[in-house]
């Protein structure tokens, strides 16, 4: 599913430019436009759905595929000493884009 008003769907379709570092049939990874760490990537499934509560079997498989690929993508993009994954869900977490995405943060020691 694609949502024509969604900024990440527009990035996936190529309507909005992004610095893509990885793409396959299931998901894309591009640089966050406002990086909160030395390395800040966003891993985004091509299927538009806002929340983990929208997961079904197929989407769970996509997420699992993404998690399996992320270590190599992180390493190839400068996360040499480790990295942090973040999935903001809803208002209290500060989720601003309602298309599920995994933040990949690293490239420096991260405060906790
Ligand atoms: P959220 O707060 O929803 O977890 O994260 C959304 C992220 O998307 C933010 O870190 C924000 O900087 C990033 N972002 C928003 N719009 C764009 C855009 O047009 N291009 C890119 N590359 N990142 C974006
Ligand atoms: Zn979307």
């Amino acid at each position: 599913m694609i949502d024509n008003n969604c900024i990440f769907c527009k990035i996936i379709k190529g309507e909005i430019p992004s610095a893509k570092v990885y793409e396959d049939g299931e998901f894309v990874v591009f640089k966050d436009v406002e990086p909160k760490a030395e390395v800040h990537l966003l891993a985004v499934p091509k299927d538009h759905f806002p929340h983990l509560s929208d997961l079904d079997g197929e989407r769970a498989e996509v997420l699992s595929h993404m998690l399996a690929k992320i270590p190599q993508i992180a390493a190839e993009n400068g996360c040499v000493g480790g990295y942090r994954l973040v999935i903001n869900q809803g208002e209290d977490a500060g989720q601003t884009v309602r298309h599920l995405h995994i933040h990949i943060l690293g490239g420096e020691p991260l405060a906790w």
Side-chain angles (χ1 to χ4, degrees):
M1 193 177 83
I2 276 181
D3 178 336
N4 288 321
N5 298 313
C6 167
I7 196 154
F8 285 177
C9 284
K10 288 180 183 172
I11 286 175
I12 288 160
K13 284 188 284 179
E15 289 177 9
I16 292 178
S18 70
K20 250 178 231 171
V21 302
Y22 179 84
E23 177 167 16
D24 67 20
E26 312 295 331
F27 75 111
V28 297
V29 182
F30 51 86
K31 294 183 182 176
D32 196 293
V33 79
E34 274 181 59
K36 280 123 195 129
E38 197 61 43
V39 177
H40 188 174
L41 304 172
L42 298 171
V44 185
K46 289 189 169 178
D47 183 21
H48 174 95
F49 62 96
H51 298 122
L52 288 170
S53 54
D54 301 308
L55 275 188
D56 55 19
E58 206 172 310
R59 287 171 176 165
E61 275 185 29
V62 171
L63 220 55
S64 165
H65 167 69
M66 291 169 68
L67 289 171
K69 289 277 181 190
I70 279 173
Q72 191 185 343
I73 296 165
E76 285 172 358
N77 285 278
C79 296
V80 285
Y83 54 91
R84 177 175 297 152
L85 303 183
V86 173
I87 306 179
N88 290 323
Q89 293 288 274
E91 224 173 283
D92 282 0
Q95 183 181 7
T96 56
V97 179
R98 293 167 68 84
H99 180 140
L100 191 104
H101 51 281
I102 304 174
H103 295 262
I104 304 167
L105 299 148
E108 61 182 331
L110 302 168
W112 178 245

